[in-house]
Amino acid sequence: MSNNYKTATLHMIGHGHIDPTWLWDWREGYEEVRATFRSALDRLAEDPDVRFSASSACFYDWIHRCDPVMFEAIKKRVAEGRWELAGGMWIEPDCNIPCGEAFVRQGLYAQHFFKRHFNQCAKVGFNPDSFGHTGQLPQFLKKLGMHYYIYMRPMPVVEMDYPNGTTFNWQAPDGSQVLTTNLLEDYNADATLLEERIGRFTTHEHLNPGQTQVLAFFGVGNHGGGPTKSAMQVIRNAQEDDSKPKVEFATLHEYMQAFQKQDRNVPLATIAHDLQNHARGCYSAHAGVKQWMRQTEHALMTAERMASIAWLDLKRAYPKDQLEEAWKNLLYNQFHDILAGTSLEITYTHTRDQMGAARHTADTIINEALQCLANEIDTTAAGNTAVLFNPLPWPVHQRVDLSPIVERALDTAADTEDPNVIPLKTFGPWKAYPHLHIVDSNENPVPLQKTRGDKVTGSKYTLMAQVPALGYSCFHVRAGAQSIAHTQSLEASTTHLENDWWRIELDSRQGHITRLLDKQNNLELLTQGNYLVVLNDPSDTWSHGIKGFRDEVGCFEKATARIVEEGDVLATIQVKSNYRESSAIQEYTLYRDDPRIGIHLKVNWQEAYHMLKIGWDTTIEAGTTTYDTAYGHQVHEANGEECPGQQWFDLSGTVAGQPYGLSILNDSKYAFDTLNQSMRMTLLRSSAYAHHDPAIYTDDCDIAIMDQGWHSMNFQLLPHTTDWKEWAIPHRAWELNQPVIPLVESAHPGTRPAQDSMLSCDHDHVLVSVIKHAENDNGLILRAYETIGKDTEATIKGSLLFRPIILSFTPHEIKTIAIHTKTNEYT
């Protein structure tokens, strides 16, 4: 027996882990919170030394709403220091998939709730059951007032190597550090298990050298429950047994402080990367919930920007309460067993409705703000006006699809003799006029192309629009063809696409790319690309114990190709292919005056216990792989392991001795792998709902298989010289995920010009993500982050501000400033 056995102190944390949604729905989880908190109050009343720690402000909000008497009892115990407000987040979220702003809101709404109702905030970040932890979390935690973090996964040895014990300083890319503990074994312990742990935890193999302060949990969890009388008695017995180590009831914060004060012979290690990997299948399980999440996150941030314009420029009330409620609907569904795709099938019906409510709230706020803004724009210029709104605070050059309604003349102009107006009485509201042209707000002609619409034999009109930062520009559709002399080339056949930047050649049997030539640098970039590969995936929903997916069993083939669009703006080849009962429609688009390579994919997936990946075999040598993460990025080895990411991933190295890279952007995916020169993205996984090892799935289980049916997704390929950092790749990814919003507007006078920008940032290495009303006063909040890891100074200016604001960013810094709207002073 080690000498540490008798000199150590075991800090016993009373806890009842609660999964509010998992193998039950949220309504059952609601009651489980009530029952657990009631039981915890009873245990605290029985023993004056017992402490209880519980996370998730959402749970306290539920009690506040439905049981005010219990809520007051909890407040009393919190004030006494015996009930610990832990976690500092609205829920215990998945810690890989939420965007950076979602992590901010998890903490913002939680800490505000705790401060408002308990007059204190959580001091310890606590996500014991999450399946991995993004590398920016220490910065989020520090800015939310938490200096400690406790979690369980990844576990030592089997999932991650810890250099010097499982307590360490965890460092974010900006240098922020939090003292972090990987808790030993588990967050649950009944009386029997507790007796075993008291006997061995103080000599546990994963303690730090010389560690004398040790963390342990007691209580029933997962479906709640909390501390039990029998477990409390085990602790009392141990306290009276001289042969046992010292055992104390404690809170998480008390433990972390005790650890800091102890004498240590060996300094703590510093870990400066994300904490991975536990369950790699969670990065891709249930494609639907991932896509809903991405769309709703962007919709809410856009709603806040547009509501800020309506508030500051149009003097309309800011919909603060509606936005907060929508965010909380979203945040609840970032719970790790929901967003990871590991819950029951019924969960995703509820999640679809809850996130749908949040998305509808956002869309309503966006639309009202845009309608009010458009009403003040002078749209009396000849023709039918489309107002294009850019909700991002930097200028964009982007494809915009206009409704065929732009063909329609205005009722008020039906009898006009103006040759630039399309007479309603002649052509009717839906008949396509064969000779149209469009001009921008400066009367410059812009290429316009008729493209496919959203109904049978329907059509749209497509242009490439330049729109100012967080602003708008008017475009006017007029009768009569107008020839535009093109200086840039664009051509297509069923086997190739080509413009001034690229030549793409396609395989006639499988439909994937066989050649991607950079014409301006004369470099061959792919040996093959956009190939759809099917892999055998017998793993459970979490993919426990799996590092990568490499068991290829087939590919989509029997391809047929046709040109579906070709004109002044773009050319698109559509390729249809099949694998067994599944089918795919993949569309490749090149633009005449933009280097982005667009890919739209629709898949009718009918496979069980298989995975679908899309891959690109590049010619990039000595490459570094970088993955987008929450307000940051993470470098991973190109070793074929499945890694989490968000809106883009990149491989940068050399091609033919020249610095070169390839960035791949997406609108809904979170799982990637890179092996040597090959990049792949996981599109779909089809395990049964909530299948957990060691259970074996058979055909007679009658449990639904995930991801069956049609799926739609968009990608962009952005090859680039040098590495990704000089090409504003994060900005391009945001543009894919939050495109320009078109609004066809009737003709009317107005006080606003035909083009305007409300706010912009002048630096490509600073991404302004949030513009919103402050929580506690009448100020304006701006949030931005430095994207590449470089000291940067940026100027933010626009009509929403009285004067330009100059901000200095350290590498990887997330900066939030509060602007007083009357004085324009900021902090």
Side-chain angles (χ1 to χ4, degrees):
M1 181 180 296
S2 168
N3 291 332
N4 191 52
Y5 184 77
K6 293 300 296 293
T7 60
T9 299
L10 197 57
H11 295 259
M12 302 304 307
I13 309 298
H15 183 54
H17 178 68
I18 296 174
D19 291 323
T21 296
W22 181 31
L23 305 181
W24 42 84
D25 68 26
W26 67 274
R27 295 164 298 192
E28 186 172 336
Y30 204 123
E31 194 282 331
E32 132 194 2
V33 169
R34 290 170 45 234
T36 300
F37 283 12
R38 184 184 301 112
S39 176
L41 287 169
D42 290 343
R43 301 294 81 76
L44 294 181
E46 292 163 359
D47 190 325
D49 293 330
V50 172
R51 310 282 195 269
F52 182 69
S53 299
S55 72
S56 303
C58 173
F59 298 166
Y60 296 87
D61 187 38
W62 286 353
I63 300 300
H64 181 252
R65 291 169 183 262
C66 73
D67 194 336
V69 174
M70 184 192 294
F71 192 77
E72 290 301 314
I74 293 171
K75 286 176 66 174
K76 179 181 177 181
R77 295 305 188 190
V78 170
E80 293 173 349
R82 296 183 59 207
W83 185 301
E84 181 179 30
L85 307 173
M89 294 190 179
W90 192 248
I91 204 77
E92 290 181 13
D94 181 284
C95 290
N96 283 315
I97 296 173
C99 72
E101 189 56 28
F103 279 110
V104 173
R105 300 309 172 93
Q106 287 282 354
L108 177 70
Y109 294 130
Q111 296 289 52
H112 277 207
F113 183 91
F114 290 154
K115 184 66 175 177
R116 182 167 64 251
H117 292 286
F118 300 97
N119 198 33
Q120 61 178 268
C121 295
K123 299 175 183 177
V124 180
F126 184 53
N127 286 307
D129 204 26
S130 300
F131 306 139
H133 309 263
T134 187
Q136 277 284 30
L137 262 179
Q139 186 175 181
F140 293 132
L141 292 167
K142 289 292 286 290
K143 290 180 182 295
L144 290 165
M146 291 175 280
H147 299 271
Y148 309 105
Y149 192 58
I150 298 174
Y151 70 99
M152 185 175 71
R153 303 184 177 101
M155 297 176 180
V157 182
V158 293
E159 294 173 344
M160 189 177 121
D161 291 328
Y162 292 84
N164 195 22
T166 53
T167 297
F168 54 93
N169 291 314
W170 188 21
Q171 181 172 299
D174 77 315
S176 300
Q177 287 190 0
V178 290
L179 180 62
T180 300
T181 290
N182 171 242
L183 66 90
L184 299 176
E185 297 187 10
D186 197 359
Y187 46 70
N188 295 327
D190 59 16
T192 302
L193 183 56
L194 193 58
E195 285 192 279
E196 297 176 13
R197 288 181 174 175
I198 289 175
R200 58 187 163 84
F201 262 30
T202 56
T203 58
H204 200 283
E205 61 180 326
H206 297 310
L207 295 179
N208 289 53
Q211 181 174 345
T212 60
Q213 306 299 313
V214 182
L215 179 66
F217 286 72
F218 72 99
V220 178
N222 287 349
H223 198 267
T228 62
K229 293 181 180 181
S230 57
M232 289 161 54
Q233 188 59 51
V234 168
I235 295 171
R236 284 303 191 194
N237 292 343
Q239 289 174 333
E240 297 172 1
D241 188 342
D242 291 339
S243 68
K244 295 290 195 295
K246 185 178 180 181
V247 181
E248 292 182 351
F249 294 107
T251 64
L252 298 171
H253 186 244
E254 288 170 341
Y255 163 73
M256 297 301 277
Q257 287 188 312
F259 182 92
Q260 281 186 306
K261 293 176 182 177
Q262 73 175 36
D263 293 328
R264 289 187 301 273
N265 297 324
V266 180
L268 291 179
T270 296
I271 294 179
H273 54 73
D274 57 352
L275 306 177
Q276 308 292 356
N277 296 94
H278 171 68
R280 300 174 197 253
C282 295
Y283 312 151
S284 54
H286 202 293
V289 74
K290 270 78 168 173
Q291 187 172 61
W292 306 334
M293 186 63 59
R294 177 80 62 82
Q295 293 170 348
T296 307
E297 287 172 336
H298 276 283
L300 286 171
M301 288 186 284
T302 295
E304 289 175 337
R305 293 185 216 110
M306 304 316 298
S308 296
I309 293 172
W311 163 44
L312 294 172
D313 267 16
L314 307 179
K315 310 307 177 186
R316 291 177 58 85
Y318 187 89
K320 180 179 176 182
D321 292 343
Q322 298 97 304
L323 282 165
E324 181 173 331
E325 190 64 25
W327 269 108
K328 287 176 178 176
N329 268 333
L330 175 77
L331 298 178
Y332 178 81
N333 286 285
Q334 290 179 340
F335 179 70
H336 54 268
D337 278 317
I338 299 176
L339 190 50
T342 55
S343 289
L344 298 179
E345 182 181 14
I346 187 61
T347 294
Y348 298 99
T349 299
H350 298 155
T351 293
R352 179 203 62 202
D353 295 345
Q354 290 160 0
M355 282 205 281
R359 176 71 184 271
H360 179 66
T361 295
D363 288 345
T364 299
I365 291 168
I366 293 167
N367 181 62
E368 288 181 359
L370 296 185
Q371 297 284 350
C372 293
L373 186 60
N375 194 47
E376 295 196 355
I377 299 171
D378 184 348
T379 57
T380 56
N384 299 328
T385 299
V387 185
L388 307 187
F389 295 92
N390 171 20
L392 299 172
W394 59 86
V396 301
H397 181 244
Q398 194 172 82
R399 169 183 178 164
V400 179
D401 294 326
L402 298 179
S403 162
I405 201 72
V406 297
E407 300 168 346
R408 180 175 64 100
L410 307 174
D411 291 338
T412 56
D415 297 320
T416 182
E417 296 181 359
D418 187 339
N420 288 317
V421 173
I422 309 165
L424 178 67
K425 61 186 180 182
T426 303
F427 293 102
W430 295 107
K431 185 172 181 179
Y433 192 79
H435 303 295
L436 301 178
H437 70 279
I438 192 168
V439 297
D440 65 18
S441 57
N442 296 313
E443 295 293 318
N444 298 313
V446 177
L448 184 69
Q449 179 177 337
K450 192 172 184 178
T451 53
R452 293 163 297 160
D454 297 323
K455 68 182 185 70
V456 177
T457 69
S459 62
K460 293 180 180 178
Y461 287 95
T462 298
L463 70 154
M464 294 296 292
Q466 187 78 33
V467 188
L470 196 63
Y472 65 86
S473 188
C474 291
F475 290 75
H476 309 290
V477 178
R478 295 173 180 166
Q482 188 171 59
S483 177
I484 297 178
H486 295 298
T487 60
Q488 294 170 299
S489 64
L490 180 65
E491 63 180 61
S493 73
T494 57
T495 57
H496 90 286
L497 283 168
E498 188 167 355
N499 61 11
D500 282 2
W501 290 276
W502 320 111
R503 179 176 175 86
I504 296 174
E505 297 178 5
L506 302 179
D507 178 86
S508 61
R509 184 173 65 88
Q510 296 180 355
H512 61 262
I513 297 173
T514 58
R515 185 188 192 195
L516 174 56
L517 172 67
D518 178 342
K519 294 171 61 177
Q520 297 187 349
N521 294 287
N522 194 32
L523 295 174
E524 299 284 352
L525 306 182
L526 294 176
T527 57
Q528 62 174 344
N530 274 71
Y531 55 88
L532 296 172
V533 58
V534 181
L535 300 101
N536 184 46
D537 177 19
S539 61
D540 68 359
T541 308
W542 288 255
S543 296
H544 284 112
I546 303 297
K547 289 187 175 181
F549 300 91
R550 289 283 155 186
D551 185 10
E552 299 182 13
V553 295
C555 61
F556 280 69
E557 50 190 2
K558 299 180 181 179
T560 59
R562 64 186 181 115
I563 302 170
V564 292
E565 292 165 340
E566 186 178 14
D568 290 337
V569 178
L570 58 84
T572 299
I573 299 176
Q574 181 189 85
V575 179
K576 294 183 178 181
S577 57
N578 297 277
Y579 173 78
R580 299 200 310 196
E581 300 301 315
S582 299
S583 57
I585 303 172
Q586 192 160 200
E587 297 185 346
Y588 303 89
T589 299
L590 286 186
Y591 300 93
R592 190 179 297 274
D593 66 347
D594 191 278
R596 278 172 274 208
I597 302 170
I599 299 160
H600 177 65
L601 175 62
K602 292 181 69 176
V603 178
N604 183 3
W605 185 244
Q606 299 295 332
E607 312 307 317
Y609 281 88
H610 285 74
M611 170 183 280
L612 180 63
K613 280 182 174 282
I614 187 170
W616 299 267
D617 295 345
T618 77
T619 59
I620 299 169
E621 298 179 329
T624 298
T625 306
T626 307
Y627 298 80
D628 179 41
T629 62
Y631 280 164
H633 60 268
Q634 182 71 53
V635 174
H636 288 289
E637 294 182 31
N639 58 9
E641 292 187 1
E642 193 87 343
C643 293
Q646 296 197 359
Q647 297 182 147
W648 57 271
F649 76 126
D650 177 89
L651 180 63
S652 289
T654 61
V655 174
Q658 300 184 42
Y660 211 95
L662 173 63
S663 292
I664 299 171
L665 285 51
N666 72 86
D667 69 353
S668 56
K669 301 304 170 187
Y670 295 88
F672 313 91
D673 77 78
T674 307
L675 180 62
N676 301 324
Q677 296 171 273
S678 296
M679 309 170 69
R680 301 194 307 180
M681 180 189 307
T682 302
L683 305 181
L684 302 168
R685 283 190 66 231
S686 47
S687 64
Y689 282 91
H691 173 198
H692 197 298
D693 286 343
I696 304 298
Y697 177 84
T698 59
D699 290 340
D700 59 1
C701 289
D702 296 325
I703 303 298
I705 300 294
M706 285 191 286
D707 285 355
Q708 304 296 282
W710 282 102
H711 299 263
S712 180
M713 57 208 82
N714 292 292
F715 315 125
Q716 286 179 355
L717 306 186
L718 295 182
H720 50 80
T721 55
T722 69
D723 71 10
W724 65 270
K725 293 181 179 180
E726 303 307 316
W727 290 83
I729 297 302
H731 290 72
R732 303 293 86 80
W734 278 62
E735 291 167 21
L736 175 64
N737 282 272
Q738 181 49 75
V740 165
I741 305 170
L743 181 67
V744 178
E745 183 70 6
S746 60
H748 54 73
T751 58
R752 289 182 175 272
Q755 180 172 290
D756 200 7
S757 170
M758 284 71 169
L759 189 140
S760 66
C761 177
D762 70 346
H763 207 297
D764 280 346
H765 297 169
V766 171
L767 193 152
V768 178
S769 57
V770 170
I771 304 166
K772 65 181 285 288
H773 196 292
E775 295 297 316
N776 295 327
D777 56 35
N778 204 36
L780 180 70
I781 297 295
L782 296 183
R783 190 151 30 252
Y785 75 102
E786 195 282 317
T787 61
I788 70 167
K790 184 178 181 181
D791 287 318
T792 302
E793 186 173 272
T795 300
I796 300 174
K797 61 183 180 179
S799 61
L800 295 186
L801 307 175
F802 287 123
R803 60 183 172 85
I805 294 174
I806 300 174
L807 300 176
S808 294
F809 289 80
T810 57
H812 306 288
E813 181 183 7
I814 305 165
K815 187 181 289 290
T816 301
I817 62 169
I819 303 169
H820 299 281
T821 54
K822 291 185 178 180
T823 65
N824 210 39
E825 295 177 352
Y826 63 91
T827 55

